[in-house]
Amino acid sequence: QVRLVESGGGLVQAGESLRLSCAASGSISSIKTMGWYRQAPGKQRELAAIISSDGSTYYGDSVKGRFTISRDNAKNTVYLQINSLKPEDTAVYYCHANGVRNGYLSFDSWGQGTQVTVSS
């Protein structure tokens, strides 16, 4: 089992910034892809950003120009820097990762989510 734990969410005002963190733990051999998804009230979960093992990134259209994803391989941690927050960014942000655990077993894990609330 690989566990993902998000942190860094909270209540902020529009225009401010946040940095979300997601730390993976367990018998991890390698992590291929890590990403952030978000789900606003009454809406489907959507991709915000992903980063692959080679460092390539992809961003959803709604967050391009304001979100930056990065990772610290030594800490098995992925970050999401969010600038110029807008009320429409209000959502639960979920971390996702896949890769190899215990030397040869695949894993595909989700975190429990961290709430981001942006007031106008």
Side-chain angles (χ1 to χ4, degrees), residues 40-62:
K43 293 183 170 58
Q44 295 294 310
R45 189 174 300 183
E46 66 174 355
L47 174 68
I50 57 173
I51 184 167
S52 64
S53 58
D54 65 2
S56 61
T57 58
Y58 177 85
Y59 296 93
D61 290 339
S62 64

Side-chain angles (χ1 to χ4, degrees), residues 1-4 23-29 76 100-102:
Q1 183 179 13
V2 173
R3 184 183 182 192
L4 305 179
S25 62
S27 299
I28 299 170
S29 300
N76 287 327
V100 178
R101 63 179 176 87
N102 300 103

Side-chain angles (χ1 to χ4, degrees), residues 40 66 78 82 118:
R66 297 187 299 115
V78 64
I82 312 174
V118 184

Side-chain angles (χ1 to χ4, degrees), residues 6-41:
E6 303 100 331
S7 62
L11 175 62
V12 298
Q13 295 182 354
E16 295 182 343
S17 299
L18 280 175
R19 189 177 76 155
L20 308 182
S21 299
C22 171
S25 62
S27 299
I28 299 170
S29 300
S30 64
I31 298 176
K32 181 179 180 181
T33 302
M34 303 188 81
W36 289 94
Y37 296 73
R38 66 182 186 179
Q39 187 167 19

Side-chain angles (χ1 to χ4, degrees), residues 56-104:
S56 61
T57 58
Y58 177 85
Y59 296 93
D61 290 339
S62 64
V63 308
K64 287 181 179 178
R66 297 187 299 115
F67 287 30
T68 302
I69 189 169
S70 61
R71 63 192 291 175
D72 185 335
N73 292 327
K75 297 180 179 180
N76 287 327
T77 299
V78 64
Y79 305 94
L80 186 68
Q81 177 70 36
I82 312 174
N83 296 326
S84 302
L85 279 158
K86 303 175 180 180
E88 51 262 44
D89 294 321
T90 296
V92 178
Y93 285 71
Y94 296 93
C95 179
H96 173 262
N98 59 49
V100 178
R101 63 179 176 87
N102 300 103
Y104 62 96

